[in-house]
Amino acid sequence: MKTLIAGNWKMNGTRAFTHDLCNALTNHVKTPNADVEMLICPSAILIRDARDSIKDSPIKLGAQDCSNAESGAYTGEVSAGMLKDMGCDYVILGHSERRSYHSEANALICEKSTQAKDKGLIPIICVGETLKKRIAGKEFDVIKEQLIHSVPKSIDDFVIAYEPVWAIGTGKVAEISDIHAMHEFIYTILSEEHGRAVADKTRILYGGSMKPSNAKDILAVPRVHGGLIGGAALKAETFNGVYDIACGV
Ligand code: PGA
């Protein structure tokens, strides 16, 4: 399975920023790599500029969220169909920032994932425990609950991103042994819920303060199939750097 190096731009950038960053990425990733895929997920309003800037390159395009509804009177929402129409292949769903700032519950994320799948997008479904839950020794319970209730039973083409909430944007990275244990656990739950065949082909990304200085160690962990990268995805040097490490350059 292809390692996925995914950039989550969050609410950052302008059209000029998008153009400059995409140019620096396309100058670096000129030909497809058989084992590694680069993905950028800009803010919805910048997707069109990003699409135009990365056309003719192997870099993939994704969004950071979509509606659980197909279309209609949902002011401010963006549908999965619109994202597909705009050239997206992926959509990040259930990011911890949406779970906490927008009170997104597992059931909603599950509906959004179904919408994404129905429109031909691959959902990147995020799971992660808070520091409080980890200190209380409840991290596996939280992840199991999120996996069971956020991932629709009916889909077989999706990506999981394990992002411990306390490691996002903080510079703190989970211990390698903890990442390993959690990714094994996620694989086990996916096998139980979706069967071995699906678990075996599902990529499990790590996210949380990933950057060139730690990417080699993290990407070497068994059952880590890439990264969901925030801060380091906003600079060509660091995002290309993580991509190169994934390629073994
Ligand atoms: P970070 O963000 O790399 O800045 O920690 C990761 C994410 O939130 O997806």
Side-chain angles (χ1 to χ4, degrees), residues 8 10 95-97 163 167-171 207-210 228-232:
N8 175 9
K10 308 192 180 184
H95 189 280
S96 66
E97 286 149 18
E163 301 202 299
I168 295 176
T170 58
S209 300
M210 198 162 161
L228 183 54
I229 298 150

Side-chain angles (χ1 to χ4, degrees), residues 68-217:
N68 60 326
E70 188 173 4
S71 65
Y74 300 97
T75 303
E77 291 282 78
V78 174
S79 75
M82 291 169 183
L83 297 173
K84 186 70 190 173
D85 187 40
M86 197 52 82
C88 290
D89 287 317
Y90 289 89
V91 58
I92 299 169
L93 294 172
H95 189 280
S96 66
E97 286 149 18
R98 296 216 55 93
R99 287 179 187 263
S100 64
Y101 306 145
H102 300 272
S103 308
E104 289 200 4
N106 291 324
L108 179 71
I109 295 158
C110 191
E111 286 178 17
K112 289 182 172 197
S113 302
T114 302
Q115 264 303 316
K117 176 226 154 194
D118 287 351
K119 301 299 172 202
L121 296 171
I122 300 173
I124 300 174
I125 302 168
C126 302
V127 296
E129 81 285 359
T130 59
L131 189 56
K132 205 168 153 203
K133 291 288 183 188
R134 180 164 276 271
I135 288 169
K138 298 263 186 263
E139 67 273 28
F140 292 103
D141 296 344
V142 171
I143 301 304
K144 182 172 180 179
E145 166 100 7
Q146 290 179 342
L147 284 173
I148 290 178
H149 298 291
S150 310
V151 183
K153 297 283 174 284
S154 59
I155 66 172
D156 65 0
D157 193 7
F158 57 92
V159 176
I160 297 294
Y162 169 57
E163 301 202 299
V165 177
W166 47 272
I168 295 176
T170 58
K172 292 190 191 121
V173 183
E175 296 290 335
I176 292 296
S177 56
D178 290 334
I179 297 174
H180 186 199
M182 191 55 85
H183 281 237
E184 286 294 347
F185 180 74
I186 291 170
Y187 173 79
T188 303
I189 301 296
L190 293 178
S191 302
E192 285 169 12
E193 294 295 310
H194 299 268
R196 270 286 289 278
V198 171
D200 280 338
K201 68 170 189 161
T202 300
R203 288 173 289 182
I204 308 171
L205 315 183
Y206 171 80
S209 300
M210 198 162 161
K211 48 187 180 275
S213 60
N214 58 30
K216 190 160 185 251
D217 290 342

